[in-house]
Amino acid sequence: MVRKRSGGEVFRITGARQGLAEDVRGRQRRYVISMSVRTVSVVLAATLWNVERYVAIVALALGMLLPYVAVVIANAGRETPRSLPSTFVPAPMRPVLDAPSASGGPEAGAEGDGAPGGGSPA
C-alpha cells in the first residue's frame, strides 16, 4: 500500500512533551522516594541520639528539611523546556525542473562566447 503525502503541515514529535499521566507518575515517584529518605533519617536520628549525637542532629535536620524540598520538587513540572526545537517544521521546497529544449543539443553560446580570437583567451 502506497501512501500519498499531502502538501500540509509537517510536525516534529521529538520535541513533544511527555503525557500528563506519565508526568504525574514521575512526580509521585520522586515524592515517595524523598519521603522514604526522610523517614529513614528520622528513624536514624532517634536511634543514634544517645550514641552519636552530631550524626543524629544532622539526620534530624535532614528529616526536617526534606518535606519542603520534596514538595517543591514534586510540584515542579509541566514547564516548557526552552532547549527543545520548534514542533512545526515547514515542508521542504522541491526544485522545479525546466522542460528540455526542442533541439536536444547543448545550449548556444558554449563555444561562441563572443570573445575575439575564437573564444579562447590570449
Side-chain angles (χ1 to χ4, degrees):
M1 177 186 313
V2 178
R3 285 185 163 181
K4 292 184 180 181
R5 297 181 91 186
S6 64
E9 299 175 343
V10 178
F11 291 95
R12 183 182 306 186
I13 63 169
T14 57
R17 293 180 0 183
Q18 63 184 4
L20 181 61
E22 185 177 335
D23 182 55
V24 169
R25 189 177 326 119
R27 288 191 278 155
Q28 285 175 343
R29 185 174 358 131
R30 288 191 299 266
Y31 184 77
V32 166
I33 289 171
S34 60
M35 285 295 105
S36 299
V37 170
R38 177 195 186 242
T39 304
V40 167
S41 67
V42 169
V43 168
L44 187 68
T47 305
L48 294 177
W49 188 258
N50 290 328
V51 178
E52 193 68 39
R53 179 92 24 127
Y54 294 115
V55 176
I57 291 173
V58 169
L60 190 61
L62 184 67
M64 288 172 41
L65 290 176
L66 265 176
Y68 172 75
V69 173
V71 168
V72 169
I73 289 173
N75 287 335
R78 303 302 291 177
E79 283 90 16
T80 305
R82 298 178 192 266
S83 64
L84 291 177
S86 172
T87 57
F88 175 74
V89 178
M93 298 297 295
R94 294 183 180 173
V96 177
L97 300 177
D98 292 332
S101 64
S103 66
E107 294 285 330
E111 293 178 12
D113 60 353
S120 60

